[in-house]
Amino acid sequence: RDVGTLDARISVCRACPRLVEWREDVARDGRRAAFADQPYWGRPGPGFGDPAPRLLVVGLAPAANGTNRTGRMFTGDRSGDWIYAALHRAGYAKVPWSRHAGDGQQLDGARIVAAVRCAPPGNKPTGEERATCAPWLDADVRLALPTLRAVLALGAIGFEAFLAAARRTGWAVARPAPRFGHGVQVPLVTPDGRVVPLLASYHVSQQNTFTGRLTEPMLDDVLARVRTLTG
Ligand code: SF4
């Protein structure tokens, strides 16, 4: 398998009835007024970025009017403004924005994926939906493995989802499971015997960035450590 085939298969997945209904309802009837004249993607969000990444960024799930509108991870919403600007400052993103396909954005050395690939109501996927979507993350982890040097999880759900994917794909993960916290760094051993650290940041959601729980220097500090690891 290759990344292009994986992304194509993800983008037509219909395994979660509630999320299929929601993503299509938003695309058809629930558009935000500012985007009323735009076509919505209304499908799962495939990974975006370098097909041979040294860094895998793991988010939670697409936003109804972000990825569910544009079809690209973290693209077209405030969370995306934050993460792409930070990835640009760290040297992974060509431009400091991500608005829509054809906006000039390109990632070098990094690929962005998510624990759940369809926009969930209230940004809250159920446990069953997280479990149903997990094989897509496993596939991304397997494909990234040969070049991977570090993983950055955004938020506790991305952190837990990556640890579970790592276990399922043969990585050595300490038990009890390491706990999520901003700036946490967990050394993990890959199936091919290398140490690839998992780093954690608070999620770039407005809930965190508007309140100052996550600041640009806090995110930059974590990405500077990631940059040292990936070269
Ligand atoms: Fe498929 Fe994942 Fe979307 Fe469920 S959340 S329909 S498993 S892509």
Side-chain angles (χ1 to χ4, degrees):
R1 291 229 194 115
D2 59 65
V3 165
T5 305
L6 174 63
D7 289 346
R9 292 184 62 210
I10 289 172
S11 70
V12 294
C13 179
R14 302 183 64 84
C16 304
R18 185 183 80 118
L19 299 188
V20 171
E21 190 180 349
W22 176 251
R23 78 193 193 201
E24 294 180 354
D25 277 358
V26 171
R28 194 176 46 242
D29 306 319
R31 301 167 184 214
R32 196 167 279 166
F35 311 127
D37 59 343
Q38 295 184 13
Y40 268 52
W41 174 249
R43 288 158 57 182
F48 174 66
D50 197 323
R54 299 188 301 282
L55 167 65
L56 205 56
V57 179
V58 185
L60 164 56
N65 290 282
T67 298
N68 192 54
R69 174 170 61 89
T70 62
R72 195 162 81 188
M73 279 288 151
F74 282 106
T75 293
D77 60 17
R78 292 295 186 110
S79 304
D81 292 344
W82 263 73
I83 189 62
Y84 283 98
L87 287 170
H88 178 69
R89 291 192 294 273
Y92 295 104
K94 190 169 181 189
V95 292
W97 60 74
S98 190
R99 297 170 184 148
H100 48 72
D103 62 359
Q105 185 55 273
Q106 201 177 318
L107 296 180
D108 179 10
R111 176 169 160 85
I112 305 179
V113 298
V116 172
R117 307 303 179 106
C118 291
N123 294 322
K124 286 195 173 61
T126 65
E128 188 182 348
E129 289 159 353
R130 287 163 60 179
T132 304
C133 209
W136 293 131
L137 183 57
D138 294 357
D140 256 314
V141 172
R142 283 197 185 93
L143 283 173
L145 182 64
T147 51
L148 202 58
R149 299 289 176 271
V151 180
L152 172 62
L154 300 175
I157 290 180
F159 183 82
E160 288 163 12
F162 181 79
L163 284 176
R167 278 206 183 96
R168 285 190 302 267
T169 56
W171 296 41
V173 180
R175 285 190 190 273
R179 293 189 56 181
F180 173 80
H182 182 82
V184 162
Q185 181 169 336
V186 184
L188 302 173
V189 181
T190 64
D192 53 357
R194 295 179 296 119
V195 176
V196 170
L198 166 64
L199 290 91
S201 167
Y202 290 142
H203 195 277
V204 289
S205 65
Q206 289 187 65
Q207 211 176 325
N208 291 332
T209 56
F210 271 26
T211 56
R213 185 167 193 242
L214 177 66
T215 63
E216 286 184 355
M218 286 168 71
L219 186 52
D220 287 350
D221 280 352
V222 175
L223 272 165
R225 282 159 52 201
V226 166
R227 181 42 103 179
T228 306
L229 291 161
T230 64

